[in-house]
Amino acid sequence: MKRLVLRLFCLGSLLFYLFGNTITVMAMNPEPELTAPSYVLMEETTGKIICARNETERRSPASITKIMTLILAFDALESGKITLEEEVMTSAYAKSMGGSQVFLEEGEMQTVDTLLKCIAVASGNDASVALAEHIAGSEEAFVNKMNEKTKELGLTDTFFEDCTGLTDSQGHYTSALDVAKMSAYLINTYPKVYEYTGIWMEDIVHKTIKGENIFTLSSTNKLLKQYPYTTGLKTGSTDAAKYCISATAKNGDLSLIAVVMGADTPTARFDEAKALLHYGFGVSRFYQDDNEIQMKELSIQGALCSNIPVEKEKVFRYLDTVGIDFSKIERLEKYAENLEAPVAKGSAVGELKYLCEGKELGSVKIIASEEVVKATYTDFFLMLFRNFLL
């Protein structure tokens, strides 16, 4: 009996020696236990999902609908269709919006810049409709553009019926994963949006025939004060949606998006978003390969040269959440065979794969960093003539 106990003790000691560090790391960063029926935690730049539950389940989004409204607004700014300085007139229909509003009056003029603040900070439904009508002519036409954009972005679990999220219709839906994707698109494509989503409080001036009065915009995103790394993005709540949030945060080189849908209370919405972000920053780290690749001698038919200058299409980044040993990452270069001139600058000539202990982590294209022109008969004749003289 004593021998058995001793053997078990020795076996336990060996297992702790071999796996103790891993067990400790896992214990220090356990995946959060949330009550929300649907959530996702995504790294912004890579799109990697760190943890999730029912992330493709279609749910009512409430005012996080306005993430797509902001995308179309910034699209219009980028294309030159509108400017930040131009003024927008509030229609009777826009004024009639209920829910969250900034109390625009019919006929009131506000700049696009101010309306963006009203949407991003105070979730103004009246401001959303006013800007939608200004961009597309009507809310209906604007919503059609929203749905066209969802197809363009590959959002398969999203369909909009208004630009505010006020509706509780079952035909107006999205998923936590789609919200994370559209959030990532917005902040990657238009980082200027942070200038709006990062505002805690700001005054605007209502100018109507009744005179002027100051109205204070107050952010619906309490994480701006509750969580130090918060950069945005959008909250929402209706009876059907309950309490939702898409929260963006940045700590060092890590940018995370936490989407919580269907939380029972406003406090739970913010607490569970914080828990997701805290977990993500605790387990995540980047491997980044900044090393260059050298000029490669390749077989290129129809060219005078065999050496072609090459480079990586982009810097390879890998988000690790399980604690792999970066020193064991290997690079494997593979090049195309039987290349034919001409080879355009920037065209793919190979692939650079990254592996760790046999597992492929990802890859980047190897591209030609200079053009390789097609040689003529005269070029070949001159080359032979020069070689003969030598």
Side-chain angles (χ1 to χ4, degrees):
M1 184 67 180
K2 289 183 178 180
R3 286 184 178 179
L4 178 60
V5 172
L6 181 60
R7 287 176 180 174
L8 290 173
F9 175 78
C10 291
L11 178 61
S13 299
L14 177 62
L15 289 173
F16 182 79
Y17 175 76
L18 292 174
F19 303 110
N21 289 338
T22 302
I23 293 170
T24 301
V25 170
M26 291 175 65
M28 288 175 61
N29 296 290
E31 188 170 318
E33 296 182 5
L34 307 186
T35 60
S38 179
Y39 64 82
V40 65
L41 178 64
M42 173 191 285
E43 198 285 316
E44 170 206 331
T45 60
T46 61
K48 181 170 181 176
I49 304 302
I50 300 171
C51 63
R53 175 197 292 159
N54 298 327
E55 67 273 23
T56 60
E57 182 179 83
R58 294 177 175 181
R59 302 186 64 85
S60 178
S63 281
I64 52 178
T65 293
K66 296 186 179 83
I67 295 171
M68 184 59 75
T69 302
L70 288 169
I71 288 174
L72 290 193
F74 277 96
D75 279 352
L77 285 166
E78 179 70 15
S79 68
K81 182 178 177 65
I82 60 173
T83 67
L84 289 173
E85 297 77 22
E86 71 183 71
E87 292 192 320
V88 177
M89 180 181 290
T90 303
S91 69
Y93 175 64
K95 179 188 182 300
S96 72
M97 293 297 108
S100 299
Q101 53 187 308
V102 294
F103 303 101
L104 298 173
E105 293 290 339
E106 182 182 354
E108 179 177 347
M109 303 292 288
Q110 292 289 357
T111 65
V112 170
D113 181 60
T114 298
L115 292 179
L116 287 174
K117 291 174 184 176
C118 294
I119 297 168
V121 180
S123 195
N125 295 319
D126 44 2
S128 297
V129 173
L131 190 55
E133 291 176 330
H134 183 72
I135 292 171
S138 68
E139 184 188 20
E140 181 181 4
F142 187 85
V143 172
N144 288 338
K145 290 181 178 293
M146 291 171 70
N147 288 318
E148 289 171 7
K149 194 71 175 183
T150 65
K151 294 177 182 177
E152 179 186 322
L153 299 181
L155 308 179
T156 57
D157 295 302
T158 299
F159 190 83
F160 298 114
E161 293 186 341
D162 64 30
C163 68
T164 61
L166 268 174
T167 180
D168 279 343
S169 165
Q170 292 184 352
H172 184 96
Y173 56 82
T174 188
S175 67
L177 181 58
D178 278 2
V179 171
K181 288 179 178 179
M182 70 177 82
S183 300
Y185 176 83
L186 174 60
I187 58 184
N188 273 309
T189 310
Y190 304 115
K192 186 176 176 63
V193 73
Y194 284 134
E195 297 177 17
Y196 298 92
T197 61
I199 295 172
W200 176 244
M201 281 189 177
E202 186 166 320
D203 290 340
I204 65 168
V205 179
H206 287 300
K207 298 179 181 180
T208 67
I209 57 174
K210 299 177 183 178
E212 295 185 5
N213 67 290
I214 294 175
F215 181 82
T216 300
L217 303 176
S218 179
S219 179
T220 60
N221 185 2
K222 306 311 176 188
L223 290 184
L224 288 171
K225 291 295 184 182
Q226 295 177 4
Y227 192 70
Y229 307 121
T230 303
T231 54
L233 187 63
K234 194 72 197 71
T235 63
S237 64
T238 61
D239 290 341
K242 295 188 177 180
Y243 296 91
C244 310
I245 186 170
S246 177
T248 59
K250 183 175 177 63
N251 182 10
D253 62 348
L254 281 169
S255 296
L256 302 181
I257 300 169
V259 178
V260 175
M261 300 189 73
D264 288 331
T265 66
T267 301
R269 163 181 60 189
F270 295 124
D271 286 347
E272 299 200 349
K274 282 189 289 185
L276 285 171
L277 294 169
H278 182 72
Y279 171 73
F281 286 128
V283 300
S284 304
R285 60 189 184 129
F286 269 119
Y287 167 81
Q288 181 166 311
D289 179 22
D290 292 314
N291 297 313
E292 300 298 328
I293 51 179
Q294 303 301 315
M295 182 178 288
K296 187 71 177 178
E297 185 171 324
L298 299 174
S299 174
I300 306 177
Q301 298 179 23
L304 295 178
C305 65
S306 58
N307 285 335
I308 178 170
V310 293
E311 62 185 3
K312 293 179 293 187
E313 183 182 38
K314 60 183 179 180
V315 173
F316 177 75
R317 301 181 87 208
Y318 176 76
L319 183 69
D320 170 48
T321 59
V322 297
I324 66 172
D325 186 349
F326 286 173
S327 67
K328 294 182 178 179
I329 293 179
E330 300 176 289
R331 302 194 329 171
L332 178 63
E333 296 179 26
K334 186 176 181 181
Y335 291 89
E337 298 179 356
N338 302 319
L339 285 170
E340 292 188 10
V343 177
K345 181 179 179 180
S347 60
V349 296
E351 184 181 37
L352 182 58
K353 291 186 177 181
Y354 294 82
L355 302 99
C356 184
E357 298 182 308
K359 177 187 176 183
E360 184 174 334
L361 304 180
S363 64
V364 294
K365 291 180 181 178
I366 298 173
I367 61 173
S369 56
E370 293 181 10
E371 180 184 10
V372 178
V373 299
K374 184 177 179 65
T376 65
Y377 288 114
T378 302
D379 294 326
F380 283 116
F381 176 78
L382 290 174
M383 180 184 71
L384 289 172
F385 183 69
R386 283 194 297 268
N387 289 338
F388 174 75
L389 292 178
L390 293 174

